[in-house]
Amino acid sequence: MPILLKNTLLVLLSVLLCTAAAEGLVRWLDAEAPSDALKHLGEIPLAEGVQRAWFGENPAPLPNRRPAKPEDVDLIRRVEAGGVTEGTRRSDMFKAWNSAFVGPDPCRHFYLKDAPGQIYVYDPPDGEPWPRFRFLPDRTTPIGLVTNEYGFRGPPVPVARQTKTIRIAFIGASTTVSAHNFLYSYPEHVGYWLNRWAAAKKLDLKFEVLNAGRESIASPDIAAIMKNEVAPLAPDLVVYYEGANQFFLQTVVPDLPPPAASLRIKSQPDPSLLQRVLVDLGYTFALARRLEGLLAQYGSRPVGQSGDAQADAMARVIAEGREWPKPDYKLVWPEGLDEKDPDIARGDLPVSLTTILADLGRIEAIAKKTGGELAIASYKWLVADGMVLDPVRHRLILEYLNYGYAPFRYRDLERMALFQNRVLEKFARTHRIDFLDVARLMPSDPDLFVDAIHGTPEGERLRAWIVLQLLVPVVDRHLADGTWPRKSFPITPPPAPYVPRVVTFECGKKSG
């Protein structure tokens, strides 16, 4: 064998062995890394019968998790090749879109026209365009989402209600479904710990959890999910956690100034070949995900215009992790609205709360009709006037607040987040339903957050732990009065798992 070929093979074998060793090391480090949540564990009061040692335990591996289909991986590559990859474009390929939302021609749809020649669709039973999509049923996507036969994230759940069971449905948006590549969503943690609690108390019952959350949806979608997807499965309790997708401060700032020219982020260049390869490999390999994260973290940074003292001063503020300078604006509060004790019947509540409360009313009525009840959780925002963050480790939080929510000041975001939770709490009190004050107990630790609302895996775990402590008293109360577990269920048969269909199209020139 020629010496050049030998040396080439030796180099390739060395690279392969080193890469395999690095992959194993990264997986070990990810498994052994200390939890950012542990330092806060003692701050969370334990519900009766809950043991703190359970916090580090994980649910059982999903029995319905399978290798992603080759054609699904190819579908993502087609998205990449199309060049329109912002936001959730990759995961959107594994959603069944509401045919009433899509319309007769996908090529005329403002968003779906850029799909790579096909989408999945489903026909809504009521003909309405909400919810705008469902996840494909019984699927493991290349991004990591695992769904059951209903298209809900998580393990299979029996179609018909069983005796000696308590079924809890979690509804909301991205902070409920969690990032698709996380091994567990927060409802899955809650379900595992509730069954752990039941076993420790020697209760002859089982908890079943449905995660009906999905990203980028609003309260009209959530109300439709409750009506068409959740209610037919007869849950005993429905937990609502959402507070961002209708959080529009424009409702109290009528004369909104444009973002200052000095407040900008370097435009993101088209992904390099290395970045595209890492995205593909990241669906399988921890090392690729680690490298992809490093590139993202140390990539573009917020900058000010150079060349003058004022712009340079702004750049220093940004580099120090402080709030970016904002143009002046005036927040106009609705006349006569008591901020501390709001009249929730008003039709002009800020940040879309009038719409949200109307949808919550519908959700509660539907829950009652099927023999269940609604619980509302307060919503956690990581924002505070004067907050300072690490400009590198917490870059995504800084960009979320200062770029995504520009030009709104931290103090106004904080003020409206607090007001939103007061309104939700008053709605719960008025309707005599349980209010789970998650925001009060969730620490404002940026190491637990990806951005201002989404948690890291350990942030999700800690939020689930908090929800557990708040749910146990609710369960205990129902066990004591004999209402749970239920003795009978609706006589209407549960729905059959839905079957999406494929629509293919050719739009010609893509927009970009």
Side-chain angles (χ1 to χ4, degrees), residues 207-218:
F207 288 89
E208 297 174 342
V209 162
L210 304 172
N211 184 345
R214 58 205 69 168
E215 65 271 7
S216 306
I217 63 174

Side-chain angles (χ1 to χ4, degrees), residues 175-192:
T175 48
T176 293
V177 73
S178 300
H180 291 198
N181 63 321
F182 287 5
L183 279 179
Y184 309 103
S185 62
Y186 98 85
E188 290 169 79
H189 284 297
V190 174
Y192 169 79

